[in-house]
Amino acid sequence: SQKIEQNSEALNIQEGKTATLTCNYTNYSPAYLQWYRQDPGRGPVFLLLIRENEKEKRKERLKVTFDTTLKQSLFHITASQPADSATYLCALGGGSSASKIIFGSGTRLSIRP
Amino acid sequence: DVKVTQSSRYLVKRTGEKVFLECVQDMDHENMFWYRQDPGLGLRLIYFSYDVKMKEKGDIPEGYSVSREKKERFSLILESASTNQTSMYLCASSSNPPMNTEAFFGQGTRLTVV
């Protein structure tokens, strides 16, 4: 069955450092991969999308890479700030069922001052 | 401001009751989704719909059904609520490629079955 794994349930880093989150998947050939941020008590909010033919995407302090051979995406937040503390979810879409979007379990990121 | 609205923020229901969770979107999106979120398990897809009256099972459809009679509205039905369906339920909507495919989420419904 299709599976998405986000390797770390929780990640705790010092303010100013780069946070790197990992998303691996199996039994899936997505057309795109997305990253979302979720704050407590709220629904996820979209951050970035990267397509299967793209290697890297950037948006301000965020960078996403996508390796379809390794079936892995890395999500980086540079110059991290306490306000970046949240749960980050990766999601896959556009596979054999084009409309379907499935999510990983998330990584809870804490940035300490 | 684009919106996905879920009918209730909190619900408490009794075991065996039939429960309806309603979701409305105002973005004219083709796709709508129902997920449940439990600690350590992330968002698990229950059902999704890619058009009016069309639906597909997600990863955990057992004990649930859905209805999409109008494009903007997607309902999740718990035929006979059980305590293991106590969870946070999230509705989302999205467009098809080549439009932006990001999912927009509602605020969630925290359902407790007693």
Side-chain angles (χ1 to χ4, degrees), chain A residues 40-93:
Chain A
R42 295 180 170 267
V45 174
F46 172 80
L47 295 174
L48 276 171
L49 176 148
I50 186 165
R51 301 188 190 282
E52 60 179 335
N53 59 349
E54 297 174 317
K55 296 288 186 189
E56 184 179 298
K57 207 80 169 283
R58 292 176 186 259
K59 180 181 176 183
E60 297 172 352
R61 295 184 294 111
L62 307 180
K63 184 177 93 171
V64 173
T65 63
F66 192 13
D67 188 326
T68 55
T69 303
L70 290 179
K71 295 186 183 290
Q72 181 181 79
S73 174
L74 300 179
F75 176 77
H76 308 272
I77 305 175
T78 58
S80 59
Q81 305 165 1
D84 296 325
S85 298
T87 295
Y88 291 85
L89 300 149
C90 73
L92 301 177

Side-chain angles (χ1 to χ4, degrees), chain A residues 6-13 19-22 35-40 75 77 82 84-90 104-112, chain B residues 37-42:
Chain A
Q6 294 189 241
N7 289 16
S8 301
E9 189 172 326
L11 188 62
N12 194 328
I13 68 167
T20 298
L21 284 62
T22 305
W35 284 89
Y36 290 77
R37 170 183 172 138
Q38 187 175 24
D39 292 290
F75 176 77
I77 305 175
D84 296 325
S85 298
T87 295
Y88 291 85
L89 300 149
C90 73
S105 55
T107 295
R108 189 172 67 252
L109 177 65
S110 298
I111 310 296
R112 60 181 186 274
Chain B
Q37 187 169 33
D38 302 287
L41 296 177

